[in-house]
Amino acid sequence: MPVMTARSRTEEHRASTPLELFFDLCFVVAVAQVGTRLVHAVTEGHALTGVGGYAAVFFAIWWAWVNFSWFASAYDTDDPLYRVVTLVQITGVLILAAGVPRAFDSGDWTVVVIGYVVMRLALTSQWLRAAHCTRGAERRVALRYAVGITVVQLGWIAMLLLPHGASGARAAVFVVLALAEMCVPALAERDRSTSWHPHHIGERYGLFTIIVLGETIAAATVAVQEAVYEHDALGELLPIAAGGLLIVFSAWWIYFAVPIHDYLRGSREAFIWGYGHYLILGSAAAIGAGIEVAVEEAVGKAHVSATAAAAAVTVPSALFLLTVWALHVRHFKRDLMEQLSLPVAALAILACTFAGGWAVFAAGLVASAAVTAGVLLSRRPAVAG
Protein backbone atom coordinates (compact mmCIF):
# COMPACT_ATOMS: atom_id res chain seq x y z
CA MET A 1 0.00 0.00 0.00
CA PRO A 2 1.43 3.44 -0.93
CA VAL A 3 2.24 5.66 2.04
CA MET A 4 -0.29 8.36 2.98
CA THR A 5 1.29 11.12 5.04
CA ALA A 6 0.22 14.68 5.74
CA ARG A 7 1.11 17.36 3.24
CA SER A 8 2.90 20.50 4.36
CA ARG A 9 0.81 23.55 5.28
CA THR A 10 3.50 25.73 3.69
CA GLU A 11 3.60 23.81 0.40
CA GLU A 12 3.94 26.23 -2.51
CA HIS A 13 1.56 26.31 -5.48
CA ARG A 14 -0.99 24.12 -3.63
CA ALA A 15 -3.98 24.16 -5.94
CA SER A 16 -7.16 22.16 -6.49
CA THR A 17 -6.66 18.97 -8.47
CA PRO A 18 -8.72 17.77 -11.46
CA LEU A 19 -10.17 15.05 -9.23
CA GLU A 20 -11.36 17.65 -6.71
CA LEU A 21 -12.95 19.71 -9.49
CA PHE A 22 -14.68 16.58 -10.80
CA PHE A 23 -15.92 15.87 -7.28
CA ASP A 24 -17.37 19.39 -7.05
CA LEU A 25 -19.12 19.17 -10.40
CA CYS A 26 -20.88 15.96 -9.33
CA PHE A 27 -22.21 17.82 -6.31
CA VAL A 28 -23.96 20.24 -8.67
CA VAL A 29 -26.43 17.44 -9.43
CA ALA A 30 -27.48 17.30 -5.78
CA VAL A 31 -27.58 21.11 -5.42
CA ALA A 32 -29.80 21.37 -8.50
CA GLN A 33 -32.16 18.73 -7.10
CA VAL A 34 -32.64 20.45 -3.76
CA GLY A 35 -33.10 23.85 -5.46
CA THR A 36 -35.83 22.42 -7.70
CA ARG A 37 -37.71 20.96 -4.74
CA LEU A 38 -37.52 24.30 -2.92
CA VAL A 39 -39.06 26.06 -5.92
CA HIS A 40 -41.93 23.56 -6.05
CA ALA A 41 -42.63 23.90 -2.33
CA VAL A 42 -42.67 27.72 -2.38
CA THR A 43 -44.75 28.08 -5.54
CA GLU A 44 -47.33 25.68 -4.09
CA GLY A 45 -47.67 27.84 -1.00
CA HIS A 46 -45.66 25.63 1.38
CA ALA A 47 -42.76 28.00 1.94
CA LEU A 48 -42.14 27.19 5.61
CA THR A 49 -42.09 23.44 5.03
CA GLY A 50 -39.98 23.93 1.91
CA VAL A 51 -37.35 26.03 3.67
CA GLY A 52 -37.10 23.44 6.47
CA GLY A 53 -36.66 20.60 3.99
CA TYR A 54 -34.16 22.65 2.00
CA ALA A 55 -32.08 23.42 5.10
CA ALA A 56 -31.96 19.75 6.10
CA VAL A 57 -31.13 18.28 2.68
CA PHE A 58 -28.63 21.02 1.86
CA PHE A 59 -26.85 20.30 5.13
CA ALA A 60 -26.36 16.67 4.09
CA ILE A 61 -24.94 17.76 0.73
CA TRP A 62 -22.73 20.50 2.17
CA TRP A 63 -21.35 18.42 5.03
CA ALA A 64 -20.35 15.57 2.73
CA TRP A 65 -18.45 18.07 0.59
CA VAL A 66 -16.81 19.67 3.64
CA ASN A 67 -15.51 16.35 4.97
CA PHE A 68 -13.90 15.41 1.68
CA SER A 69 -12.38 18.84 1.06
CA TRP A 70 -10.64 19.20 4.43
CA PHE A 71 -9.32 15.64 4.34
CA ALA A 72 -7.99 16.17 0.82
CA SER A 73 -6.30 19.40 1.86
CA ALA A 74 -4.26 17.46 4.40
CA TYR A 75 -3.79 14.00 2.87
CA ASP A 76 -4.38 14.03 -0.89
CA THR A 77 -1.77 11.63 -2.28
CA ASP A 78 -3.44 11.43 -5.72
CA ASP A 79 -2.24 7.82 -6.09
CA PRO A 80 -4.45 5.13 -7.70
CA LEU A 81 -5.91 3.94 -4.38
CA TYR A 82 -6.83 7.49 -3.31
CA ARG A 83 -8.43 8.14 -6.70
CA VAL A 84 -10.52 4.96 -6.60
CA VAL A 85 -11.78 5.69 -3.09
CA THR A 86 -12.67 9.24 -4.14
CA LEU A 87 -14.61 7.90 -7.12
CA VAL A 88 -16.54 5.71 -4.68
CA GLN A 89 -17.37 8.87 -2.74
CA ILE A 90 -18.61 10.48 -5.95
CA THR A 91 -20.86 7.45 -6.48
CA GLY A 92 -22.30 8.09 -3.04
CA VAL A 93 -22.95 11.72 -4.00
CA LEU A 94 -24.96 10.62 -7.03
CA ILE A 95 -26.97 8.15 -4.93
CA LEU A 96 -27.67 10.93 -2.45
CA ALA A 97 -28.81 13.22 -5.27
CA ALA A 98 -31.20 10.54 -6.50
CA GLY A 99 -32.81 10.43 -3.07
CA VAL A 100 -33.29 14.19 -2.68
CA PRO A 101 -36.86 14.34 -4.12
CA ARG A 102 -38.17 11.64 -1.75
CA ALA A 103 -36.39 13.15 1.26
CA PHE A 104 -37.72 16.60 0.43
CA ASP A 105 -41.28 15.73 -0.53
CA SER A 106 -42.17 12.87 1.82
CA GLY A 107 -39.45 12.81 4.47
CA ASP A 108 -38.14 9.47 3.23
CA TRP A 109 -34.38 9.65 3.81
CA THR A 110 -33.60 6.04 2.90
CA VAL A 111 -31.85 6.67 -0.43
CA VAL A 112 -30.07 9.78 0.91
CA VAL A 113 -28.72 7.81 3.87
CA ILE A 114 -27.61 4.97 1.58
CA GLY A 115 -25.64 7.47 -0.51
CA TYR A 116 -24.26 8.96 2.69
CA VAL A 117 -23.18 5.51 3.89
CA VAL A 118 -21.26 4.95 0.66
CA MET A 119 -19.47 8.30 1.02
CA ARG A 120 -18.75 7.88 4.71
CA LEU A 121 -17.43 4.35 4.42
CA ALA A 122 -15.04 5.57 1.76
CA LEU A 123 -13.97 8.55 3.87
CA THR A 124 -13.51 6.35 6.94
CA SER A 125 -11.24 4.07 4.94
CA GLN A 126 -9.17 7.13 4.00
CA TRP A 127 -8.78 8.09 7.66
CA LEU A 128 -7.85 4.52 8.59
CA ARG A 129 -5.25 4.53 5.83
CA ALA A 130 -3.85 7.80 7.20
CA ALA A 131 -3.76 6.26 10.69
CA HIS A 132 -1.93 3.20 9.33
CA CYS A 133 0.74 5.36 7.71
CA THR A 134 1.35 7.78 10.61
CA ARG A 135 2.43 7.66 14.24
CA GLY A 136 1.84 9.46 17.52
CA ALA A 137 -0.60 12.37 17.80
CA GLU A 138 -1.26 12.44 14.06
CA ARG A 139 -2.33 8.78 14.16
CA ARG A 140 -4.64 9.46 17.13
CA VAL A 141 -6.34 12.30 15.23
CA ALA A 142 -6.96 10.06 12.23
CA LEU A 143 -8.39 7.29 14.41
CA ARG A 144 -10.67 9.75 16.21
CA TYR A 145 -12.02 10.89 12.87
CA ALA A 146 -12.63 7.29 11.76
CA VAL A 147 -14.42 6.37 15.00
CA GLY A 148 -16.43 9.61 15.17
CA ILE A 149 -17.63 9.38 11.56
CA THR A 150 -18.62 5.73 12.05
CA VAL A 151 -20.56 6.35 15.28
CA VAL A 152 -22.53 9.26 13.81
CA GLN A 153 -23.20 7.30 10.63
CA LEU A 154 -24.73 4.53 12.73
CA GLY A 155 -26.99 7.22 14.15
CA TRP A 156 -28.17 8.21 10.65
CA ILE A 157 -28.97 4.57 9.89
CA ALA A 158 -30.85 4.26 13.18
CA MET A 159 -32.92 7.33 12.27
CA LEU A 160 -34.44 5.34 9.42
CA LEU A 161 -35.95 2.95 11.97
CA LEU A 162 -38.22 5.67 13.36
CA PRO A 163 -41.89 5.38 12.29
CA HIS A 164 -42.53 7.20 9.02
CA GLY A 165 -45.22 9.36 10.59
CA ALA A 166 -42.99 10.55 13.44
CA SER A 167 -41.88 13.69 11.62
CA GLY A 168 -41.26 15.63 14.84
CA ALA A 169 -39.03 12.90 16.25
CA ARG A 170 -37.15 12.63 12.96
CA ALA A 171 -36.56 16.38 12.92
CA ALA A 172 -35.22 16.33 16.48
CA VAL A 173 -32.94 13.38 15.75
CA PHE A 174 -31.73 15.08 12.57
CA VAL A 175 -30.71 18.21 14.51
CA VAL A 176 -28.89 16.13 17.14
CA LEU A 177 -27.03 14.13 14.50
CA ALA A 178 -26.13 17.25 12.52
CA LEU A 179 -24.64 18.82 15.66
CA ALA A 180 -22.80 15.56 16.37
CA GLU A 181 -21.35 15.61 12.84
CA MET A 182 -19.98 19.11 13.38
CA CYS A 183 -18.50 18.14 16.73
CA VAL A 184 -16.39 15.32 15.26
CA PRO A 185 -13.64 17.59 13.80
CA ALA A 186 -13.39 19.64 16.99
CA LEU A 187 -13.07 16.52 19.13
CA ALA A 188 -10.69 14.77 16.75
CA GLU A 189 -8.38 17.79 16.55
CA ARG A 190 -8.60 18.89 20.18
CA ASP A 191 -4.85 18.50 20.78
CA ARG A 192 -3.48 18.55 17.23
CA SER A 193 -4.69 20.11 14.01
CA THR A 194 -4.56 18.35 10.67
CA SER A 195 -2.24 19.94 8.13
CA TRP A 196 -4.88 21.59 5.94
CA HIS A 197 -3.48 24.18 3.58
CA PRO A 198 -4.91 27.73 3.99
CA HIS A 199 -4.51 28.72 0.34
CA HIS A 200 -5.86 25.38 -0.88
CA ILE A 201 -8.90 25.49 1.45
CA GLY A 202 -9.65 29.07 0.45
CA GLU A 203 -9.53 28.06 -3.20
CA ARG A 204 -11.69 24.97 -2.64
CA TYR A 205 -14.46 26.95 -0.96
CA GLY A 206 -14.18 29.66 -3.59
CA LEU A 207 -14.52 27.16 -6.43
CA PHE A 208 -17.54 25.52 -4.84
CA THR A 209 -19.12 28.95 -4.39
CA ILE A 210 -18.56 29.63 -8.09
CA ILE A 211 -20.19 26.31 -8.99
CA VAL A 212 -23.21 27.07 -6.80
CA LEU A 213 -23.55 30.56 -8.31
CA GLY A 214 -23.23 29.00 -11.76
CA GLU A 215 -26.05 26.59 -10.94
CA THR A 216 -28.08 29.59 -9.80
CA ILE A 217 -27.61 31.29 -13.17
CA ALA A 218 -28.38 28.07 -15.05
CA ALA A 219 -31.59 27.42 -13.12
CA ALA A 220 -32.78 31.01 -13.50
CA THR A 221 -31.97 31.02 -17.21
CA VAL A 222 -33.99 27.87 -17.85
CA ALA A 223 -36.91 29.30 -15.87
CA VAL A 224 -36.91 32.52 -17.91
CA GLN A 225 -36.51 30.60 -21.17
CA GLU A 226 -39.47 28.34 -20.44
CA ALA A 227 -41.64 31.24 -19.31
CA VAL A 228 -40.89 33.25 -22.46
CA TYR A 229 -41.58 30.23 -24.66
CA GLU A 230 -44.82 29.22 -22.94
CA HIS A 231 -46.29 32.59 -21.99
CA ASP A 232 -44.62 35.19 -24.23
CA ALA A 233 -44.12 37.42 -21.18
CA LEU A 234 -40.76 38.97 -22.01
CA GLY A 235 -41.76 42.39 -20.70
CA GLU A 236 -42.64 41.05 -17.25
CA LEU A 237 -39.55 38.87 -17.09
CA LEU A 238 -36.86 41.32 -18.19
CA PRO A 239 -36.69 43.14 -14.82
CA ILE A 240 -36.44 39.79 -13.01
CA ALA A 241 -33.76 38.46 -15.36
CA ALA A 242 -31.72 41.68 -15.22
CA GLY A 243 -32.04 42.00 -11.46
CA GLY A 244 -31.15 38.34 -10.93
CA LEU A 245 -28.00 38.70 -13.00
CA LEU A 246 -26.97 41.82 -11.09
CA ILE A 247 -27.46 40.00 -7.78
CA VAL A 248 -25.41 36.97 -8.84
CA PHE A 249 -22.65 39.08 -10.42
CA SER A 250 -22.48 41.20 -7.27
CA ALA A 251 -22.42 38.09 -5.07
CA TRP A 252 -19.40 36.80 -6.99
CA TRP A 253 -17.62 40.16 -6.78
CA ILE A 254 -18.21 40.59 -3.06
CA TYR A 255 -17.16 37.04 -2.17
CA PHE A 256 -13.85 37.30 -4.01
CA ALA A 257 -13.05 40.88 -2.97
CA VAL A 258 -10.44 39.72 -0.42
CA PRO A 259 -7.85 36.88 -0.34
CA ILE A 260 -9.23 34.82 2.53
CA HIS A 261 -6.20 32.54 2.93
CA ASP A 262 -4.42 35.40 4.71
CA TYR A 263 -7.07 35.21 7.44
CA LEU A 264 -7.08 31.41 7.91
CA ARG A 265 -4.14 31.20 10.28
CA GLY A 266 -5.39 28.67 12.82
CA SER A 267 -8.04 26.08 13.55
CA ARG A 268 -10.32 28.48 15.45
CA GLU A 269 -10.66 30.85 12.49
CA ALA A 270 -10.90 27.93 10.09
CA PHE A 271 -13.71 26.17 11.98
CA ILE A 272 -15.88 29.28 12.21
CA TRP A 273 -15.21 30.26 8.61
CA GLY A 274 -15.69 26.75 7.24
CA TYR A 275 -18.88 26.01 9.17
CA GLY A 276 -20.31 29.43 8.35
CA HIS A 277 -20.21 28.57 4.67
CA TYR A 278 -23.32 26.48 5.22
CA LEU A 279 -25.20 29.79 5.20
CA ILE A 280 -23.16 31.30 2.37
CA LEU A 281 -23.56 28.34 0.02
CA GLY A 282 -27.13 27.61 1.09
CA SER A 283 -28.22 31.20 0.50
CA ALA A 284 -26.35 31.35 -2.82
CA ALA A 285 -28.20 28.29 -4.09
CA ALA A 286 -31.49 29.64 -2.73
CA ILE A 287 -31.10 32.84 -4.76
CA GLY A 288 -31.49 30.79 -7.94
CA ALA A 289 -34.56 29.04 -6.55
CA GLY A 290 -35.98 32.43 -5.58
CA ILE A 291 -35.51 33.80 -9.08
CA GLU A 292 -37.40 30.80 -10.43
CA VAL A 293 -40.23 31.50 -7.98
CA ALA A 294 -40.33 35.16 -9.06
CA VAL A 295 -40.50 34.10 -12.72
CA GLU A 296 -43.35 31.66 -12.08
CA GLU A 297 -45.27 34.28 -10.09
CA ALA A 298 -44.84 36.81 -12.90
CA VAL A 299 -46.51 34.48 -15.41
CA GLY A 300 -49.23 33.33 -13.01
CA LYS A 301 -47.93 29.82 -12.31
CA ALA A 302 -47.09 30.28 -8.62
CA HIS A 303 -49.70 30.21 -5.87
CA VAL A 304 -48.01 32.99 -3.90
CA SER A 305 -48.26 36.77 -3.74
CA ALA A 306 -45.87 39.11 -5.52
CA THR A 307 -44.40 40.10 -2.15
CA ALA A 308 -43.77 36.47 -1.18
CA ALA A 309 -42.15 35.80 -4.57
CA ALA A 310 -39.92 38.83 -4.15
CA ALA A 311 -38.95 37.69 -0.65
CA ALA A 312 -37.81 34.36 -2.17
CA VAL A 313 -35.05 36.41 -3.84
CA THR A 314 -34.38 39.24 -1.41
CA VAL A 315 -34.12 37.18 1.79
CA PRO A 316 -31.39 34.77 0.57
CA SER A 317 -29.61 37.66 -1.18
CA ALA A 318 -29.50 39.66 2.05
CA LEU A 319 -28.42 36.57 4.01
CA PHE A 320 -25.59 35.98 1.54
CA LEU A 321 -24.29 39.55 1.94
CA LEU A 322 -24.49 39.42 5.73
CA THR A 323 -22.75 36.06 6.08
CA VAL A 324 -19.98 36.91 3.60
CA TRP A 325 -19.41 40.14 5.51
CA ALA A 326 -19.44 38.40 8.90
CA LEU A 327 -17.14 35.53 7.94
CA HIS A 328 -14.32 37.25 6.11
CA VAL A 329 -14.96 40.59 4.43
CA ARG A 330 -15.20 42.47 7.74
CA HIS A 331 -11.72 41.34 8.73
CA PHE A 332 -10.26 43.43 5.91
CA LYS A 333 -12.27 46.64 6.44
CA ARG A 334 -10.42 49.71 7.64
CA ASP A 335 -13.13 51.89 9.23
CA LEU A 336 -16.79 52.11 10.17
CA MET A 337 -17.89 53.36 6.74
CA GLU A 338 -16.40 50.31 5.03
CA GLN A 339 -17.79 47.99 7.71
CA LEU A 340 -21.34 49.27 7.30
CA SER A 341 -21.54 49.06 3.50
CA LEU A 342 -22.62 45.41 3.25
CA PRO A 343 -24.96 45.29 6.29
CA VAL A 344 -26.71 48.44 5.05
CA ALA A 345 -26.97 46.95 1.54
CA ALA A 346 -28.50 43.78 3.02
CA LEU A 347 -31.17 45.81 4.82
CA ALA A 348 -31.86 47.80 1.65
CA ILE A 349 -32.29 44.57 -0.33
CA LEU A 350 -34.81 43.35 2.23
CA ALA A 351 -36.70 46.64 1.81
CA CYS A 352 -36.89 45.94 -1.93
CA THR A 353 -39.24 43.06 -1.13
CA PHE A 354 -42.12 45.53 -1.20
CA ALA A 355 -41.28 47.07 -4.58
CA GLY A 356 -43.83 44.95 -6.44
CA GLY A 357 -42.90 43.67 -9.90
CA TRP A 358 -39.64 45.61 -9.79
CA ALA A 359 -38.45 44.08 -6.52
CA VAL A 360 -35.78 41.78 -8.01
CA PHE A 361 -34.47 44.52 -10.29
CA ALA A 362 -34.31 46.97 -7.37
CA ALA A 363 -32.45 44.39 -5.28
CA GLY A 364 -30.00 43.92 -8.15
CA LEU A 365 -29.37 47.67 -8.28
CA VAL A 366 -28.74 47.75 -4.52
CA ALA A 367 -26.30 44.84 -4.77
CA SER A 368 -24.48 46.59 -7.62
CA ALA A 369 -24.35 49.80 -5.61
CA ALA A 370 -22.79 47.85 -2.72
CA VAL A 371 -20.05 46.61 -5.04
CA THR A 372 -19.44 50.12 -6.38
CA ALA A 373 -19.31 51.57 -2.88
CA GLY A 374 -16.89 48.87 -1.77
CA VAL A 375 -14.54 49.54 -4.67
CA LEU A 376 -14.58 53.31 -4.15
CA LEU A 377 -14.11 53.07 -0.39
CA SER A 378 -11.21 50.62 -0.71
CA ARG A 379 -9.38 53.05 -3.01
CA ARG A 380 -9.34 55.85 -0.47
CA PRO A 381 -5.90 56.61 0.94
CA ALA A 382 -5.34 55.06 4.35
CA VAL A 383 -5.75 57.42 7.28
CA ALA A 384 -2.48 57.92 9.12
CA GLY A 385 -2.25 57.26 12.79
Side-chain angles (χ1 to χ4, degrees), residues 34-45:
V34 72
T36 299
R37 308 321 292 181
L38 178 61
V39 171
H40 289 169
V42 174
T43 55
E44 293 299 321

Side-chain angles (χ1 to χ4, degrees), residues 253-291:
W253 192 299
I254 291 167
Y255 184 91
F256 291 99
V258 293
I260 193 57
H261 61 271
D262 292 335
Y263 169 70
L264 300 178
R265 295 181 296 271
S267 294
R268 182 177 181 276
E269 295 91 350
F271 275 130
I272 296 173
W273 180 84
Y275 284 6
H277 267 71
Y278 169 67
L279 294 176
I280 290 180
L281 294 169
S283 59
I287 291 171
I291 295 172

